[in-house]
Amino acid sequence: MKTATLPPLRVAPELRQSAESVLREGESLSSLMEQSLRGEVNRRRMQAEFIARGLAARDEAQRTGVYHTADNVHAELRTMLAEAEADAKAKIKTRTMAKTKA
């Protein structure tokens, strides 16, 4: 149950018209605003966590003296991507074969 309220939001008439023009069927301006606010809160939380992880990694590297070059990180990421793509192709092939047998 929603029990809290937010302060009224004053915007330019053009912004209100733009927002109203993209509403989906059955969607209210209030629900669009709530969804947008939830999304922005989530993005900011994720960004803060990302920065915290980066700072912690920097501190750990400074503490241990262990650093990784960008080339090594990119190579590892390419390997991970290739493995994930191969797994996805194998799953598609398995599903296709199962459908043709059925």
Side-chain angles (χ1 to χ4, degrees):
M1 177 189 225
K2 298 178 184 179
T3 59
T5 60
L6 293 171
L9 179 63
R10 294 203 178 276
V11 297
E14 297 81 16
L15 178 57
R16 182 183 175 113
Q17 289 171 348
S18 293
E20 288 174 340
S21 73
V22 298
L23 291 176
R24 296 183 178 134
E25 189 174 329
E27 185 178 36
S28 68
L29 193 53
S30 293
S31 65
L32 174 64
M33 292 171 56
E34 181 181 358
Q35 181 182 359
S36 298
L37 182 59
R38 285 180 189 278
E40 185 61 24
V41 167
N42 187 48
R43 276 186 291 284
R44 290 183 184 200
R45 185 174 291 129
M46 288 174 44
Q47 182 182 40
E49 291 169 0
F50 176 80
I51 291 169
R53 286 192 310 271
L55 292 174
R58 178 206 57 194
D59 294 347
E60 178 70 7
Q62 288 174 343
R63 186 183 67 75
T64 63
V66 176
Y67 292 85
H68 303 278
T69 67
D71 288 342
N72 288 344
V73 172
H74 292 162
E76 185 175 343
L77 289 172
R78 278 191 294 276
T79 300
M80 292 169 64
L81 178 60
E83 290 171 357
E85 288 173 337
D87 288 347
K89 286 180 184 177
K91 286 179 184 178
I92 290 170
K93 186 177 180 180
T94 301
R95 288 182 193 148
T96 304
M97 290 174 57
K99 286 181 182 179
T100 57
K101 289 181 180 180

